[in-house]
Amino acid sequence: MVDYLMKHKGLSIAILALCLLVVVVCMFFMQQGQEVTAKAEFEAIVLENDTQLLVEPVEGSPERNSSDQIVLHLPQALDTLQPGDRIIIGYDGVIAESYPAQIFNVVYIKRAAETPETT
């Protein structure tokens, strides 16, 4: 058997490459089927909504310890958000420590309930 494989190195390499390709494709499709769930959420104020959504976590939130500005990577733009809007962001709990910090797996964004002004 070893002699056969040694004589046909090209065939052996092709079979090995095909097996590797099958494994990679299977892993890709398995990852696509996984649903990301929100493990954390925080309240923030929208700073920019141009090509990216840049937010500032509110004072006292643990995310504020990572950075005073966080870029949210979203699959599609949210045209309804304007600078100054208060929102609640649910995400997978992972923040990329850069400046500004980054969150790649945003699960949801919703408007924060307006707090009534005290007179």
Side-chain angles (χ1 to χ4, degrees):
M1 178 77 169
V2 174
D3 290 337
Y4 178 79
L5 293 175
M6 293 302 288
K7 289 180 183 176
H8 298 92
K9 286 183 184 177
L11 179 62
S12 299
I13 291 173
I15 291 172
L16 183 61
L18 181 62
C19 291
L20 183 62
L21 179 65
V22 168
V23 169
V24 169
V25 168
C26 288
M27 289 176 61
F28 173 76
F29 283 113
M30 286 173 51
Q31 184 179 12
Q32 292 296 322
Q34 293 178 352
E35 188 173 313
V36 179
T37 58
K39 295 180 182 170
E41 80 173 17
F42 68 100
E43 190 170 336
I45 298 169
V46 175
L47 297 176
E48 287 180 17
N49 189 7
D50 293 326
T51 57
Q52 60 189 9
L53 188 58
L54 181 67
V55 300
E56 176 184 354
V58 296
E59 289 291 334
S61 94
E63 288 77 10
R64 182 84 177 198
N65 295 333
S66 291
S67 181
D68 64 337
Q69 294 184 357
I70 300 176
V71 173
L72 305 178
H73 294 275
L74 306 172
Q76 60 188 19
L78 295 173
D79 297 334
T80 59
L81 296 177
Q82 301 296 321
D85 288 350
R86 286 180 87 88
I87 58 175
I88 297 174
I89 300 140
Y91 67 107
D92 67 349
V94 178
I95 298 177
E97 299 291 335
S98 58
Y99 191 79
Q102 302 175 67
I103 296 177
F104 291 94
N105 292 316
V106 176
V107 177
Y108 60 83
I109 294 176
K110 57 186 177 182
R111 291 192 184 278
E114 296 294 323
T115 54
E117 293 183 26
T118 56
T119 56

